Short mmCIF file of all heavy atoms in Angstrom, two decimals:
data_model
loop_
_atom_site.label_atom_id
_atom_site.label_comp_id
_atom_site.label_asym_id
_atom_site.label_seq_id
_atom_site.Cartn_x
_atom_site.Cartn_y
_atom_site.Cartn_z
N MET A 110 315.83 129.24 12.91
CA MET A 110 316.60 129.51 11.83
C MET A 110 315.94 129.04 10.63
O MET A 110 315.31 127.93 10.54
CB MET A 110 317.97 128.81 11.96
CG MET A 110 318.89 129.10 10.74
SD MET A 110 319.27 130.84 10.84
CE MET A 110 321.09 130.85 10.41
N VAL A 111 315.84 129.85 9.59
CA VAL A 111 315.15 129.61 8.38
C VAL A 111 316.04 128.70 7.38
O VAL A 111 317.25 129.09 7.21
CB VAL A 111 314.72 130.92 7.59
CG1 VAL A 111 314.07 130.57 6.19
CG2 VAL A 111 313.82 131.72 8.48
N LYS A 112 315.58 127.62 6.97
CA LYS A 112 316.24 126.84 5.95
C LYS A 112 316.06 127.36 4.65
O LYS A 112 314.90 127.60 4.24
CB LYS A 112 315.83 125.33 6.11
CG LYS A 112 316.42 124.39 5.23
CD LYS A 112 317.85 124.08 5.79
CE LYS A 112 318.45 122.98 4.86
NZ LYS A 112 319.87 122.84 5.24
N LEU A 113 317.15 127.77 3.92
CA LEU A 113 316.92 128.41 2.57
C LEU A 113 317.28 127.43 1.49
O LEU A 113 318.07 126.51 1.64
CB LEU A 113 318.00 129.52 2.47
CG LEU A 113 317.86 130.68 3.54
CD1 LEU A 113 318.82 131.73 3.38
CD2 LEU A 113 316.39 131.30 3.45
N HIS A 114 316.62 127.63 0.46
CA HIS A 114 316.76 126.77 -0.82
C HIS A 114 316.87 127.79 -1.98
O HIS A 114 315.99 127.92 -2.82
CB HIS A 114 315.55 125.84 -1.02
CG HIS A 114 315.35 124.97 0.14
ND1 HIS A 114 314.51 125.26 1.13
CD2 HIS A 114 315.84 123.78 0.48
CE1 HIS A 114 314.60 124.30 2.09
NE2 HIS A 114 315.33 123.23 1.62
N PRO A 115 318.00 128.51 -2.10
CA PRO A 115 318.23 129.48 -3.13
C PRO A 115 318.50 128.83 -4.53
O PRO A 115 319.20 127.80 -4.59
CB PRO A 115 319.27 130.34 -2.73
CG PRO A 115 320.23 129.34 -1.85
CD PRO A 115 319.26 128.53 -1.26
N SER A 116 318.20 129.50 -5.60
CA SER A 116 318.60 129.18 -6.90
C SER A 116 319.50 130.29 -7.31
O SER A 116 319.20 131.44 -7.15
CB SER A 116 317.45 129.25 -7.85
OG SER A 116 316.55 128.20 -7.52
N ILE A 117 320.87 130.00 -7.52
CA ILE A 117 321.77 130.98 -7.93
C ILE A 117 321.86 131.36 -9.45
O ILE A 117 321.97 130.31 -10.27
CB ILE A 117 323.14 130.52 -7.50
CG1 ILE A 117 323.15 130.18 -5.98
CG2 ILE A 117 324.17 131.54 -7.73
CD1 ILE A 117 322.79 131.27 -4.94
N LEU A 118 321.59 132.54 -9.80
CA LEU A 118 321.67 132.89 -11.23
C LEU A 118 323.02 133.50 -11.50
O LEU A 118 323.43 134.35 -10.68
CB LEU A 118 320.57 133.84 -11.53
CG LEU A 118 319.12 133.36 -11.19
CD1 LEU A 118 318.15 134.37 -11.46
CD2 LEU A 118 318.84 132.11 -11.92
N GLU A 119 323.53 133.27 -12.57
CA GLU A 119 324.91 133.84 -12.97
C GLU A 119 324.68 134.84 -14.12
O GLU A 119 323.74 134.85 -14.93
CB GLU A 119 325.89 132.77 -13.49
CG GLU A 119 326.09 131.72 -12.30
CD GLU A 119 327.12 130.60 -12.76
OE1 GLU A 119 327.55 130.62 -13.86
OE2 GLU A 119 327.52 129.80 -11.87
N ARG A 120 325.64 135.84 -14.18
CA ARG A 120 325.83 136.73 -15.30
C ARG A 120 327.25 136.82 -15.65
O ARG A 120 328.19 136.92 -14.77
CB ARG A 120 325.36 138.04 -14.82
CG ARG A 120 325.55 139.20 -15.86
CD ARG A 120 325.17 140.51 -15.45
NE ARG A 120 323.69 140.58 -15.37
CZ ARG A 120 323.05 141.66 -14.78
NH1 ARG A 120 323.72 142.58 -14.15
NH2 ARG A 120 321.82 141.65 -14.84
N ASP A 121 327.57 136.47 -16.87
CA ASP A 121 328.87 136.49 -17.38
C ASP A 121 329.70 135.39 -16.60
O ASP A 121 330.94 135.58 -16.33
CB ASP A 121 329.59 137.69 -17.25
CG ASP A 121 328.92 138.81 -18.25
OD1 ASP A 121 328.31 138.39 -19.31
OD2 ASP A 121 328.86 139.97 -17.79
N GLY A 122 329.17 134.35 -16.23
CA GLY A 122 329.83 133.13 -15.55
C GLY A 122 330.02 133.40 -14.10
O GLY A 122 330.80 132.64 -13.42
N LYS A 123 329.56 134.52 -13.56
CA LYS A 123 329.74 134.79 -12.05
C LYS A 123 328.39 134.86 -11.40
O LYS A 123 327.42 135.28 -11.99
CB LYS A 123 330.44 136.22 -11.89
CG LYS A 123 331.80 136.19 -12.49
CD LYS A 123 332.40 137.65 -12.29
CE LYS A 123 333.87 137.70 -12.86
NZ LYS A 123 334.32 139.09 -12.87
N LYS A 124 328.42 134.52 -10.19
CA LYS A 124 327.08 134.45 -9.37
C LYS A 124 326.67 135.84 -9.22
O LYS A 124 327.51 136.76 -8.74
CB LYS A 124 327.43 133.91 -7.90
CG LYS A 124 327.72 132.30 -8.06
CD LYS A 124 328.04 131.85 -6.62
CE LYS A 124 328.26 130.36 -6.74
NZ LYS A 124 328.71 129.73 -5.40
N ALA A 125 325.49 136.13 -9.68
CA ALA A 125 324.91 137.51 -9.47
C ALA A 125 323.76 137.69 -8.65
O ALA A 125 323.48 138.76 -8.15
CB ALA A 125 324.59 137.97 -10.98
N PHE A 126 322.83 136.64 -8.69
CA PHE A 126 321.55 136.81 -7.98
C PHE A 126 321.29 135.49 -7.26
O PHE A 126 321.48 134.39 -7.72
CB PHE A 126 320.33 137.03 -8.92
CG PHE A 126 320.56 138.25 -9.82
CD1 PHE A 126 321.08 138.16 -10.99
CD2 PHE A 126 320.19 139.51 -9.36
CE1 PHE A 126 321.38 139.35 -11.82
CE2 PHE A 126 320.42 140.62 -9.98
CZ PHE A 126 320.97 140.59 -11.28
N ALA A 127 320.54 135.62 -6.11
CA ALA A 127 320.07 134.47 -5.45
C ALA A 127 318.46 134.58 -5.34
O ALA A 127 317.99 135.68 -4.90
CB ALA A 127 320.55 134.36 -4.00
N VAL A 128 317.77 133.66 -5.95
CA VAL A 128 316.31 133.60 -5.96
C VAL A 128 315.90 132.70 -4.94
O VAL A 128 316.35 131.47 -4.93
CB VAL A 128 315.89 133.24 -7.43
CG1 VAL A 128 314.29 133.27 -7.52
CG2 VAL A 128 316.40 134.13 -8.37
N LEU A 129 314.85 133.11 -4.07
CA LEU A 129 314.44 132.30 -3.02
C LEU A 129 312.88 132.05 -3.29
O LEU A 129 312.27 132.90 -3.96
CB LEU A 129 314.47 132.91 -1.75
CG LEU A 129 315.70 133.42 -1.18
CD1 LEU A 129 315.71 134.17 0.03
CD2 LEU A 129 316.57 132.11 -0.91
N PRO A 130 312.47 130.84 -2.81
CA PRO A 130 310.97 130.67 -2.81
C PRO A 130 310.23 131.80 -2.04
O PRO A 130 310.84 132.21 -1.06
CB PRO A 130 310.73 129.25 -2.21
CG PRO A 130 312.13 128.63 -2.43
CD PRO A 130 313.02 129.69 -2.27
N TYR A 131 309.07 132.26 -2.49
CA TYR A 131 308.44 133.32 -1.78
C TYR A 131 308.23 133.14 -0.22
O TYR A 131 308.44 133.95 0.59
CB TYR A 131 307.06 133.69 -2.48
CG TYR A 131 306.55 134.96 -2.00
CD1 TYR A 131 307.05 136.23 -2.17
CD2 TYR A 131 305.26 134.92 -1.25
CE1 TYR A 131 306.51 137.37 -1.66
CE2 TYR A 131 304.72 136.10 -0.78
CZ TYR A 131 305.28 137.31 -1.05
OH TYR A 131 304.70 138.39 -0.67
N GLU A 132 307.84 131.80 0.06
CA GLU A 132 307.68 131.54 1.39
C GLU A 132 308.92 131.86 2.44
O GLU A 132 308.82 132.41 3.56
CB GLU A 132 307.13 130.14 1.67
CG GLU A 132 305.90 129.90 1.02
CD GLU A 132 304.72 130.60 1.66
OE1 GLU A 132 304.72 130.74 2.94
OE2 GLU A 132 303.73 131.01 1.06
N GLU A 133 309.98 131.44 1.86
CA GLU A 133 311.25 131.66 2.56
C GLU A 133 311.64 133.19 2.62
O GLU A 133 312.08 133.57 3.71
CB GLU A 133 312.52 130.81 1.84
CG GLU A 133 312.26 129.49 1.96
CD GLU A 133 313.41 128.65 1.20
OE1 GLU A 133 314.37 129.28 0.64
OE2 GLU A 133 313.38 127.40 1.15
N PHE A 134 311.37 133.89 1.55
CA PHE A 134 311.52 135.29 1.57
C PHE A 134 310.77 135.94 2.69
O PHE A 134 311.17 136.73 3.47
CB PHE A 134 311.24 135.98 0.29
CG PHE A 134 311.05 137.46 0.29
CD1 PHE A 134 312.06 138.23 0.30
CD2 PHE A 134 309.82 138.09 0.36
CE1 PHE A 134 312.12 139.55 0.45
CE2 PHE A 134 309.67 139.44 0.46
CZ PHE A 134 310.91 140.17 0.50
N LEU A 135 309.36 135.53 2.88
CA LEU A 135 308.48 136.02 3.97
C LEU A 135 309.03 135.68 5.27
O LEU A 135 309.01 136.61 6.19
CB LEU A 135 307.17 135.50 3.74
CG LEU A 135 306.41 136.03 2.56
CD1 LEU A 135 304.89 135.33 2.42
CD2 LEU A 135 306.15 137.53 2.55
N LYS A 136 309.65 134.54 5.37
CA LYS A 136 310.13 134.25 6.78
C LYS A 136 311.33 135.02 7.11
O LYS A 136 311.56 135.48 8.17
CB LYS A 136 310.55 132.67 6.79
CG LYS A 136 309.37 131.75 6.84
CD LYS A 136 309.77 130.26 6.75
CE LYS A 136 308.46 129.40 6.78
NZ LYS A 136 308.89 127.93 6.63
N ILE A 137 312.22 135.17 6.19
CA ILE A 137 313.39 136.06 6.38
C ILE A 137 313.04 137.49 6.77
O ILE A 137 313.45 138.13 7.66
CB ILE A 137 314.28 136.18 5.17
CG1 ILE A 137 314.93 134.72 4.90
CG2 ILE A 137 315.33 137.27 5.16
CD1 ILE A 137 315.77 134.63 3.65
N GLU A 138 311.96 138.00 5.99
CA GLU A 138 311.44 139.48 6.29
C GLU A 138 310.92 139.45 7.62
O GLU A 138 311.17 140.45 8.42
CB GLU A 138 310.40 139.69 5.13
CG GLU A 138 310.04 141.20 5.16
CD GLU A 138 309.00 141.38 3.99
OE1 GLU A 138 308.05 140.70 3.85
OE2 GLU A 138 309.32 142.40 3.35
N GLU A 139 310.27 138.50 8.07
CA GLU A 139 309.54 138.41 9.46
C GLU A 139 310.77 138.36 10.49
O GLU A 139 310.70 139.17 11.45
CB GLU A 139 308.79 137.30 9.64
CG GLU A 139 307.97 137.21 11.01
CD GLU A 139 307.02 135.94 11.18
OE1 GLU A 139 306.55 135.58 10.04
OE2 GLU A 139 306.87 135.53 12.17
N GLU A 140 311.72 137.55 10.21
CA GLU A 140 312.84 137.46 11.28
C GLU A 140 313.62 138.69 11.33
O GLU A 140 314.06 139.14 12.40
CB GLU A 140 313.68 136.30 10.94
CG GLU A 140 313.02 134.99 11.28
CD GLU A 140 313.88 133.83 11.47
OE1 GLU A 140 315.14 134.00 11.70
OE2 GLU A 140 313.53 132.64 11.48
N LEU A 141 313.93 139.40 10.29
CA LEU A 141 314.52 140.77 10.28
C LEU A 141 313.75 141.78 11.01
O LEU A 141 314.24 142.53 11.70
CB LEU A 141 314.83 141.14 8.80
CG LEU A 141 315.92 140.30 8.04
CD1 LEU A 141 315.96 140.81 6.72
CD2 LEU A 141 317.29 140.57 8.69
N ASP A 142 312.43 141.75 10.83
CA ASP A 142 311.47 142.68 11.47
C ASP A 142 311.68 142.43 13.03
O ASP A 142 311.71 143.39 13.86
CB ASP A 142 310.17 142.51 10.99
CG ASP A 142 309.16 143.65 11.51
OD1 ASP A 142 309.65 144.79 11.63
OD2 ASP A 142 308.03 143.36 11.95
N ASP A 143 311.64 141.16 13.44
CA ASP A 143 311.78 140.81 14.87
C ASP A 143 313.14 141.27 15.34
O ASP A 143 313.15 141.76 16.53
CB ASP A 143 311.64 139.21 15.06
CG ASP A 143 310.11 138.77 14.83
OD1 ASP A 143 309.20 139.58 14.73
OD2 ASP A 143 309.96 137.48 14.61
N LEU A 144 314.25 141.06 14.61
CA LEU A 144 315.45 141.53 15.11
C LEU A 144 315.48 143.07 15.13
O LEU A 144 316.07 143.45 16.28
CB LEU A 144 316.55 141.09 14.06
CG LEU A 144 317.98 141.49 14.36
CD1 LEU A 144 318.42 140.98 15.69
CD2 LEU A 144 318.89 141.02 13.18
N GLU A 145 314.90 143.68 14.37
CA GLU A 145 314.85 145.18 14.43
C GLU A 145 314.07 145.66 15.72
O GLU A 145 314.55 146.49 16.44
CB GLU A 145 314.28 145.91 13.29
CG GLU A 145 314.42 147.35 13.17
CD GLU A 145 315.82 147.76 13.02
OE1 GLU A 145 316.62 147.14 12.41
OE2 GLU A 145 316.13 148.89 13.57
N ASN A 146 312.97 144.82 16.04
CA ASN A 146 312.31 145.26 17.21
C ASN A 146 313.09 144.91 18.50
O ASN A 146 313.02 145.65 19.44
CB ASN A 146 310.86 144.46 17.26
CG ASN A 146 309.95 144.91 16.14
OD1 ASN A 146 310.12 146.03 15.75
ND2 ASN A 146 309.07 144.05 15.86
N ILE A 147 313.79 143.78 18.45
CA ILE A 147 314.64 143.53 19.57
C ILE A 147 315.78 144.64 19.83
O ILE A 147 316.05 145.06 20.94
CB ILE A 147 315.25 142.16 19.50
CG1 ILE A 147 314.23 141.11 19.61
CG2 ILE A 147 316.36 141.87 20.50
CD1 ILE A 147 314.64 139.75 19.21
N LYS A 148 316.37 145.00 18.71
CA LYS A 148 317.35 146.05 18.82
C LYS A 148 316.69 147.43 19.38
O LYS A 148 317.39 148.08 20.33
CB LYS A 148 317.96 146.40 17.41
CG LYS A 148 318.91 145.42 17.00
CD LYS A 148 319.42 145.74 15.58
CE LYS A 148 320.42 144.79 15.06
NZ LYS A 148 320.96 145.14 13.74
N ASP A 149 315.54 147.80 18.99
CA ASP A 149 314.90 149.04 19.52
C ASP A 149 314.66 148.87 20.92
O ASP A 149 314.70 149.71 21.68
CB ASP A 149 313.63 149.20 18.63
CG ASP A 149 313.78 149.71 17.31
OD1 ASP A 149 314.99 150.07 16.93
OD2 ASP A 149 313.00 149.66 16.35
N LEU A 150 314.11 147.57 21.34
CA LEU A 150 313.78 147.47 22.72
C LEU A 150 314.94 147.49 23.65
O LEU A 150 314.98 148.10 24.59
CB LEU A 150 313.02 146.00 22.91
CG LEU A 150 312.69 145.52 24.25
CD1 LEU A 150 311.73 146.62 24.89
CD2 LEU A 150 312.04 144.13 24.24
N ARG A 151 316.11 146.88 23.19
CA ARG A 151 317.35 146.95 23.94
C ARG A 151 317.85 148.47 24.03
O ARG A 151 318.33 148.84 25.08
CB ARG A 151 318.38 146.05 23.29
CG ARG A 151 318.18 144.59 23.51
CD ARG A 151 319.13 143.72 22.93
NE ARG A 151 318.88 142.31 23.22
CZ ARG A 151 319.49 141.31 22.54
NH1 ARG A 151 320.34 141.62 21.66
NH2 ARG A 151 319.22 140.05 22.81
N SER A 152 317.80 149.15 22.91
CA SER A 152 318.07 150.53 22.96
C SER A 152 317.28 151.32 24.03
O SER A 152 317.76 152.19 24.74
CB SER A 152 318.15 151.10 21.57
OG SER A 152 318.37 152.56 21.51
N ALA A 153 316.01 151.28 23.89
CA ALA A 153 315.13 151.90 24.90
C ALA A 153 315.34 151.42 26.28
O ALA A 153 315.36 152.40 27.15
CB ALA A 153 313.59 151.63 24.44
N LYS A 154 315.58 150.26 26.51
CA LYS A 154 315.90 149.77 27.91
C LYS A 154 317.14 150.43 28.37
O LYS A 154 317.29 150.87 29.49
CB LYS A 154 315.92 148.25 27.81
CG LYS A 154 316.14 147.59 29.20
CD LYS A 154 316.21 146.08 29.08
CE LYS A 154 316.32 145.44 30.41
NZ LYS A 154 316.50 143.92 30.39
N ALA A 155 318.21 150.48 27.44
CA ALA A 155 319.46 151.13 27.97
C ALA A 155 319.28 152.58 28.33
O ALA A 155 319.93 153.13 29.19
CB ALA A 155 320.44 150.98 26.86
N GLU A 156 318.43 153.28 27.53
CA GLU A 156 318.20 154.74 27.71
C GLU A 156 317.55 154.97 29.09
O GLU A 156 317.57 155.92 29.69
CB GLU A 156 317.36 155.34 26.58
CG GLU A 156 318.08 155.42 25.27
CD GLU A 156 317.16 155.98 24.17
OE1 GLU A 156 316.06 156.37 24.46
OE2 GLU A 156 317.63 155.77 23.04
N GLU A 157 316.70 153.96 29.49
CA GLU A 157 315.95 154.08 30.69
C GLU A 157 316.53 153.48 32.02
O GLU A 157 315.87 153.48 33.02
CB GLU A 157 314.45 153.46 30.51
CG GLU A 157 313.67 154.20 29.45
CD GLU A 157 313.35 155.61 29.78
OE1 GLU A 157 312.97 155.80 30.96
OE2 GLU A 157 313.35 156.53 28.91
N VAL A 158 317.77 153.02 31.81
CA VAL A 158 318.37 152.39 32.96
C VAL A 158 318.43 153.29 34.23
O VAL A 158 318.38 152.88 35.22
CB VAL A 158 319.85 151.71 32.53
CG1 VAL A 158 320.83 152.82 32.41
CG2 VAL A 158 320.15 150.57 33.47
N THR A 159 318.64 154.58 34.01
CA THR A 159 318.74 155.41 35.21
C THR A 159 317.51 156.13 35.56
O THR A 159 317.43 156.95 36.27
CB THR A 159 319.94 156.33 35.03
OG1 THR A 159 319.54 157.13 33.68
CG2 THR A 159 321.19 155.78 34.85
N ALA A 160 316.37 155.88 34.82
CA ALA A 160 314.98 156.46 35.06
C ALA A 160 314.54 156.26 36.44
O ALA A 160 314.73 155.03 36.93
CB ALA A 160 314.04 156.06 33.96
N PRO A 161 313.89 157.09 37.10
CA PRO A 161 313.31 156.80 38.43
C PRO A 161 312.29 155.71 38.23
O PRO A 161 311.51 155.59 37.35
CB PRO A 161 312.67 158.12 38.97
CG PRO A 161 312.66 158.99 37.66
CD PRO A 161 313.60 158.44 36.69
N THR A 162 312.11 154.88 39.30
CA THR A 162 311.03 153.84 39.30
C THR A 162 310.27 153.99 40.61
O THR A 162 310.60 154.58 41.61
CB THR A 162 311.64 152.48 39.31
OG1 THR A 162 312.55 152.27 40.42
CG2 THR A 162 312.58 152.28 37.95
N ALA A 163 309.09 153.23 40.54
CA ALA A 163 308.38 153.17 41.80
C ALA A 163 307.82 151.79 41.87
O ALA A 163 307.42 151.15 40.80
CB ALA A 163 307.24 154.17 41.71
N SER A 164 307.64 151.29 43.08
CA SER A 164 306.95 149.86 43.23
C SER A 164 305.50 149.94 43.05
O SER A 164 304.92 151.00 43.28
CB SER A 164 307.39 149.29 44.59
OG SER A 164 306.58 150.07 45.61
N LEU A 165 305.01 148.85 42.83
CA LEU A 165 303.50 148.73 42.62
C LEU A 165 302.85 149.09 43.91
O LEU A 165 301.78 149.76 43.90
CB LEU A 165 303.00 147.28 42.12
CG LEU A 165 301.71 147.07 41.93
CD1 LEU A 165 300.99 147.98 40.99
CD2 LEU A 165 301.41 145.64 41.55
N ALA A 166 303.44 148.66 45.02
CA ALA A 166 302.75 148.88 46.31
C ALA A 166 302.71 150.50 46.54
O ALA A 166 301.73 151.04 47.01
CB ALA A 166 303.65 148.24 47.47
N SER A 167 303.77 151.12 46.23
CA SER A 167 303.89 152.56 46.48
C SER A 167 302.90 153.31 45.57
O SER A 167 302.30 154.39 45.92
CB SER A 167 305.24 153.06 46.35
OG SER A 167 305.69 153.05 45.02
N VAL A 168 302.71 152.85 44.30
CA VAL A 168 301.81 153.47 43.39
C VAL A 168 300.38 153.24 43.89
O VAL A 168 299.54 154.18 43.90
CB VAL A 168 301.96 152.92 42.03
CG1 VAL A 168 300.87 153.37 41.13
CG2 VAL A 168 303.31 153.25 41.43
N ARG A 169 300.07 152.01 44.38
CA ARG A 169 298.72 151.66 44.88
C ARG A 169 298.47 152.63 46.09
O ARG A 169 297.27 153.16 46.29
CB ARG A 169 298.63 150.31 45.36
CG ARG A 169 298.49 149.32 44.07
CD ARG A 169 298.21 147.91 44.57
NE ARG A 169 297.91 147.06 43.48
CZ ARG A 169 297.91 145.75 43.52
NH1 ARG A 169 298.22 145.13 44.54
NH2 ARG A 169 297.53 145.03 42.36
N LYS A 170 299.44 152.81 46.96
CA LYS A 170 299.25 153.63 48.21
C LYS A 170 298.97 154.97 47.77
O LYS A 170 298.05 155.64 48.34
CB LYS A 170 300.54 153.54 48.94
CG LYS A 170 300.41 154.27 50.33
CD LYS A 170 301.64 154.04 51.09
CE LYS A 170 301.55 154.87 52.43
NZ LYS A 170 302.77 154.69 53.33
N GLU A 171 299.84 155.53 46.84
CA GLU A 171 299.52 156.93 46.34
C GLU A 171 298.17 157.10 45.77
O GLU A 171 297.58 158.04 45.91
CB GLU A 171 300.63 157.17 45.44
CG GLU A 171 300.72 158.63 44.84
CD GLU A 171 301.82 158.96 44.03
OE1 GLU A 171 302.90 158.60 44.14
OE2 GLU A 171 301.61 159.81 43.06
N LEU A 172 297.70 156.11 44.99
CA LEU A 172 296.44 156.15 44.28
C LEU A 172 295.38 155.67 45.26
O LEU A 172 294.11 155.82 44.85
CB LEU A 172 296.34 155.33 42.99
CG LEU A 172 297.44 155.84 41.86
CD1 LEU A 172 297.42 154.86 40.73
CD2 LEU A 172 296.90 157.17 41.35
N LYS A 173 295.61 155.30 46.41
CA LYS A 173 294.77 154.76 47.45
C LYS A 173 293.81 153.62 46.80
O LYS A 173 292.63 153.72 46.94
CB LYS A 173 293.87 155.83 47.90
CG LYS A 173 294.62 156.89 48.67
CD LYS A 173 293.74 158.02 49.13
CE LYS A 173 294.73 159.14 49.64
NZ LYS A 173 294.05 160.29 50.09
N ILE A 174 294.50 152.68 46.25
CA ILE A 174 293.78 151.57 45.60
C ILE A 174 293.86 150.34 46.58
O ILE A 174 294.78 150.04 47.16
CB ILE A 174 294.45 151.02 44.26
CG1 ILE A 174 294.25 152.19 43.35
CG2 ILE A 174 293.82 149.89 43.84
CD1 ILE A 174 294.97 151.95 41.91
#
């Protein structure tokens, strides 16, 4: 988990913006990218759950390795 140290900026007395140190922004961006990759992987895995499979031994036998 990324520890955040935001500076809150106000407009007309209301919270309007959160400013982060650049290093924290980069960490958040990296974690969001990782999360998107995990979602894509889970989706692909779910789509392939009924796909036919072959054991390594059967593939070796077929390829005569």
Side-chain angles (χ1 to χ4, degrees):
M110 184 65 140
V111 177
K112 183 74 173 170
L113 301 179
H114 302 89
S116 294
I117 306 300
L118 304 179
E119 295 182 359
R120 177 183 284 167
D121 299 326
K123 297 180 183 177
K124 294 178 183 178
F126 302 97
V128 179
L129 297 174
Y131 187 66
E132 295 294 322
E133 291 177 9
F134 168 78
L135 291 176
K136 288 178 184 177
I137 291 171
E138 192 174 47
E139 183 179 334
E140 289 202 16
L141 288 173
D142 188 46
D143 290 347
L144 179 60
E145 190 65 32
N146 290 339
I147 290 170
K148 286 181 179 180
D149 291 343
L150 180 61
R151 287 179 179 167
S152 176
K154 186 176 177 181
E156 290 175 12
E157 295 294 322
V158 74
T159 59
T162 61
S164 69
L165 179 58
S167 66
V168 171
R169 283 184 171 166
K170 183 177 179 181
E171 187 176 321
L172 296 175
K173 299 177 184 175
I174 298 177

